[in-house]
Amino acid sequence: MNLQLMKQAMHLFGFDELDCVILPFGNGLINETWLIKANSKKYILQRINHYIFKKPENIAFNIRMLADYFRKNFPTYLFVSTCTAIDGTDLVKTKTGYFRLFHFVEDSHTIDVIEDPAQAFEAAKQFGKFSALLSGFKTTDLKITLSDFHNLSLRFEQFEISLKTGNSSRILQSRNWIYFLLQQKNILSKYEICKNKFKLRCIHHDTKISNVLFDEYDKGMCVIDLDTVMPGYFISDVGDMMRTYLCPVGEDEKDFSKITIRKEFYDALVSGYLSEMEGELSTNEKKHFHYAGVFMIYMQALRFLTDYINEDVYYGAKYEGHNLIRAGNQITLLQKMIDFNPG
Ligand code: GN1
Ligand code: MG
């Protein structure tokens, strides 16, 4: 994107655009992020993808409400809130979309690839802490920023629709994986039975490792990227951690022989999460840790394959067949997760 457009956004936050050094930052698939250096301080500027988040003001509303709640009830909790623009809002609208700005948390860093079980423990502890501290918050006060985001029934339905309306040569090309995913429909049946027994909580819904800030000693500081904080079930957060922490390679890896489940990371993740959520989760919920992983990996495999069949309209593709690779990667991981015995 044209640097001038980000500079215009910074201007609306009261910065002299000539003072701003702008660098691309992070690797999210949906929003765009930059690191800004200005007045010898660092900031994070983000443009919200408003084709996906159709009401970005709902995100801003939720972040404000959460910030107020933490300030009042847990003043020492590190909550990364947004900077206020000149017009008093925390979300500015320009011709090219909606921008918001965060202070960069000094002495913090993020991790892109998880290499040590201690990092899994720390991250899971931070996501657990986030939901545990918010257990007194009225979940339904949160606005829905993406409806049915982790509703597996809907994701399955969208997959079925793509099989009727999607690109027919891509359907033919993916037939083995389509068949595999249709055969795993028992994961959906289990979700439909279980979900009503799980408590509706404040759930982050995007618990990948790069959404945790670590300090210089590699201790977790807090969670970031709060766009999808909504009422939900713990299986979303625990499951997405399993999807992204247990395997030594990420969802873009083409060599599927590298896909494995690392038990020591599983154990660290579960104990990190329980170190904050033990007293919150019901006995029934605690029996569903392994299922959480299966649930989220299945959903992501369905989403990637649906997008491939629909010609990459949602995730985009860096090369022809990218979403097919991602789907195959997640299907391989799903099979490994199903076979994995946590002991
Ligand atoms: C998207 O943009 P990013 O990378 O934070 C997606 C997640 C997927 C993830 C897969 C709003 O997250 O649900 O798990 O890609 N977010 C949205 O990499 O769809
Ligand atoms: Mg995200």
Side-chain angles (χ1 to χ4, degrees), residues 121-173:
F121 179 93
E122 287 296 320
K125 184 177 174 65
Q126 286 305 319
F127 285 111
K129 184 174 180 182
F130 183 74
S131 288
L133 293 181
L134 288 170
S135 60
F137 179 91
K138 198 162 155 237
T139 314
T140 48
D141 281 350
L142 289 170
K143 299 230 188 220
I144 303 297
T145 57
L146 279 177
S147 50
D148 290 310
F149 186 40
H150 281 187
N151 177 349
L152 186 60
S153 315
L154 178 88
R155 296 301 182 189
F156 190 83
E157 207 181 300
Q158 290 171 332
F159 175 60
E160 286 184 314
I161 293 171
S162 79
L163 299 181
K164 295 197 186 98
T165 61
N167 178 313
S168 47
S169 62
R170 289 190 176 199
I171 294 175
L172 190 65
Q173 188 191 8

Side-chain angles (χ1 to χ4, degrees), residues 28 31 206 208 211 225 227-228:
N31 294 328
D206 191 7
K208 60 185 177 193
N211 282 339
D225 188 3
D227 302 341
T228 51

Side-chain angles (χ1 to χ4, degrees), residues 50-248:
H50 63 274
Y51 296 101
I52 289 174
F53 291 103
K54 299 220 163 54
K55 288 191 173 165
E57 62 277 12
N58 283 354
I59 299 178
F61 175 91
N62 285 352
I63 294 183
R64 252 189 328 267
M65 209 160 42
L66 293 170
D68 289 347
Y69 185 83
F70 279 110
R71 197 177 308 116
K72 202 163 145 209
N73 298 285
F74 303 100
T76 58
Y77 179 75
L78 177 60
F79 185 84
V80 186
S81 43
T82 35
C83 304
T84 310
I86 300 175
D87 67 359
T89 61
D90 38 21
L91 184 69
V92 299
K93 190 167 185 240
T94 71
K95 267 187 256 153
T96 55
Y98 293 81
F99 288 84
R100 51 152 180 221
L101 189 71
F102 298 92
H103 288 285
F104 187 91
V105 177
E106 284 307 320
D107 300 320
S108 72
H109 66 276
T110 51
I111 296 172
D112 284 329
V113 182
I114 186 160
E115 277 158 359
D116 184 340
Q119 295 168 330
F121 179 93
E122 287 296 320
K125 184 177 174 65
Q126 286 305 319
F127 285 111
K129 184 174 180 182
F130 183 74
S131 288
L133 293 181
L134 288 170
S135 60
F137 179 91
K138 198 162 155 237
T139 314
T140 48
D141 281 350
L142 289 170
K143 299 230 188 220
I144 303 297
T145 57
L146 279 177
S147 50
D148 290 310
F149 186 40
H150 281 187
N151 177 349
L152 186 60
S153 315
L154 178 88
R155 296 301 182 189
F156 190 83
E157 207 181 300
Q158 290 171 332
F159 175 60
E160 286 184 314
I161 293 171
S162 79
L163 299 181
K164 295 197 186 98
T165 61
N167 178 313
S168 47
S169 62
R170 289 190 176 199
I171 294 175
L172 190 65
Q173 188 191 8
S174 333
R175 62 192 177 282
N176 291 343
W177 285 339
I178 293 172
Y179 180 68
F180 177 84
L181 290 176
L182 291 173
Q183 268 191 324
Q184 302 304 320
K185 208 178 161 182
N186 61 308
I187 302 170
L188 170 64
S189 318
K190 187 162 175 175
Y191 165 77
E192 286 172 341
I193 296 167
C194 286
K195 65 172 192 216
N196 296 325
K197 299 184 189 131
F198 297 148
K199 189 175 168 191
L200 214 51
R201 306 173 184 280
C202 289
I203 293 296
H204 185 282
H205 287 110
D206 191 7
T207 55
K208 60 185 177 193
I209 194 69
S210 57
N211 282 339
V212 178
L213 294 188
F214 287 85
D215 71 12
E216 55 195 315
Y217 308 105
D218 263 352
K219 291 281 172 212
M221 300 170 86
C222 66
V223 301
I224 54 170
D225 188 3
L226 306 181
D227 302 341
T228 51
V229 174
M230 285 183 280
Y233 306 114
F234 89 104
I235 51 170
S236 284
D237 280 0
V238 166
D240 208 36
M241 286 192 274
M242 295 205 176
R243 185 179 83 77
T244 53
Y245 304 177
L246 302 188
C247 179

